[in-house]
Amino acid sequence: MVGSSAGGGTDAMARAVADKLGPALKTSVVVENRPGASNTLAADTTAKSSDGHTLLMGVSTAQAIVPHLMKLAYDNERDLVPVAFVGAVPNVLVVSKDLPVKTVADLVKLARDKPGQLNFASSGSGSTQHIAAELFKEATGTFITHIPYRGSGPALVDLIAGQVQMSFDTLASVSGHIRSGKVRALAVASARRNPALPEVPTLAEAGVKGVEMSAWYGVYMPAATPKAVQQRVHDEVNRVLALPDTKARLAAIGSEATPMSQAEFAAFHAAENRRYADLVKRRNIKLD
């Protein structure tokens, strides 16, 4: 289960794992996209599944951010269990190729000159794209209008067409469009430059401090799943992540395979929930 539309970062990560996981488990693994409700529809379906064969490609939006912004139809802590961490991908500040800006400084000046007239797209309210842009607005003293979509796929369609002017989308979603020249990358929202975009500066290098945002991904299962099944899926996902072609596929979208034990992933999940709960409260972030 994938909580965003086809073509987005979560979808790309899911397919990179699913294509090899099927043969490893000696069964077919089908990726089903169920976008909506800030990536939580797929999580809800997975949480309520009892067939023992439903996996969720979880993403920080649904598993660590949105639970602190809206009431869910499932319990994020009790109904789903973290099974295998897959990796993290930085968000990238990208703009429409037709927008007359070449640098972050150009964008900030334009936004200040035209308050409220620029729009930023996100894959949904409460997503890392949304929060990164809100932090950017705060750091730069600009007013830019949020346009939420049902996933990165449709958001990027409108960004490429110039219907919206900018986005803080994940590198997994935008890397191909950056390489093809359909969108322009201005900065990465990470502490260091990303090997997939070595020529693109960090936001801090571009003069905007305190805006670091990455989306992370991992496989979750219903909490009622037997421990032995969880362990089998954990082991096979980590074997898939260790394959050279999987590593290359993930590196191409800006992610490095990052193996964790199941206990380490559970601790990471809990820490991220605490971090975002604090950030949402401190920054007074709300759903549109």
Side-chain angles (χ1 to χ4, degrees):
M1 299 297 301
V2 173
S4 63
S5 55
T10 312
D11 182 70
M13 298 292 280
R15 293 179 191 278
V17 173
D19 288 351
K20 299 290 186 179
L21 188 59
L25 293 173
K26 297 181 173 54
T27 187
S28 59
V29 177
V30 177
V31 175
E32 180 177 337
N33 299 88
R34 192 162 297 188
S38 297
N39 292 81
T40 62
L41 291 184
D44 181 49
T45 299
T46 305
K48 295 173 180 175
S49 171
S50 59
D51 59 16
H53 301 286
T54 300
L55 312 177
L56 171 72
M57 180 53 74
V59 60
S60 46
T61 297
Q63 271 56 64
I65 302 174
V66 173
H68 311 293
L69 290 168
M70 62 186 286
K71 183 174 177 58
L72 301 172
Y74 62 96
D75 189 298
N76 186 53
E77 299 304 317
R78 289 200 304 265
D79 297 339
L80 289 167
V81 60
V83 172
F85 188 77
V86 173
V89 179
N91 287 67
V92 185
L93 171 55
V94 290
V95 297
S96 166
K97 61 180 174 50
D98 297 322
L99 196 69
V101 301
K102 301 294 184 183
T103 66
V104 172
D106 291 342
L107 177 63
V108 171
K109 183 179 185 305
L110 182 63
R112 287 174 177 166
D113 290 343
K114 297 183 177 182
Q117 295 183 45
L118 297 184
N119 299 325
F120 74 87
S122 81
S123 63
S125 295
S127 62
T128 57
Q129 295 99 308
H130 177 198
I131 291 179
E134 293 295 340
L135 295 178
F136 177 82
K137 287 162 57 180
E138 181 180 69
T140 58
T142 52
F143 171 38
I144 307 169
T145 303
H146 180 209
I147 309 294
Y149 288 80
R150 290 170 63 89
S152 287
L156 284 168
V157 168
D158 276 6
L159 180 66
I160 292 167
Q163 299 300 312
V164 290
Q165 288 74 48
M166 59 178 281
S167 177
F168 273 89
D169 215 326
T170 61
L171 184 50
S173 296
V174 299
S175 57
H177 300 305
I178 293 170
R179 287 193 292 268
S180 68
K182 292 179 180 178
V183 298
R184 183 180 303 121
L186 299 186
V188 291
S190 53
R192 298 178 301 277
R193 294 195 183 200
N194 190 277
L197 294 175
E199 73 287 357
V200 178
T202 67
L203 275 168
E205 289 174 333
V208 179
K209 311 251 185 226
V211 183
E212 293 183 12
M213 186 64 61
S214 295
W216 53 260
Y217 306 86
V219 175
Y220 286 72
M221 298 184 75
T225 305
K227 292 289 187 182
V229 176
Q230 294 180 34
Q231 188 64 49
R232 172 82 190 284
V233 171
H234 170 272
D235 292 346
E236 295 300 345
V237 168
N238 277 294
R239 288 191 185 98
V240 167
L241 293 175
L243 296 173
D245 51 346
T246 304
K247 287 183 176 180
R249 190 168 172 180
L250 293 177
I253 54 178
S255 174
E256 295 182 6
T258 311
M260 291 186 187
S261 69
Q262 189 174 2
E264 288 170 335
F265 184 24
F268 174 81
H269 166 95
E272 284 291 275
N273 269 271
R274 290 193 297 270
R275 180 169 81 94
Y276 279 112
D278 176 69
L279 190 153
V280 165
K281 182 178 180 180
R282 182 163 42 86
R283 303 285 188 177
N284 195 30
I285 295 171
K286 300 185 183 335
L287 296 182
D288 291 342

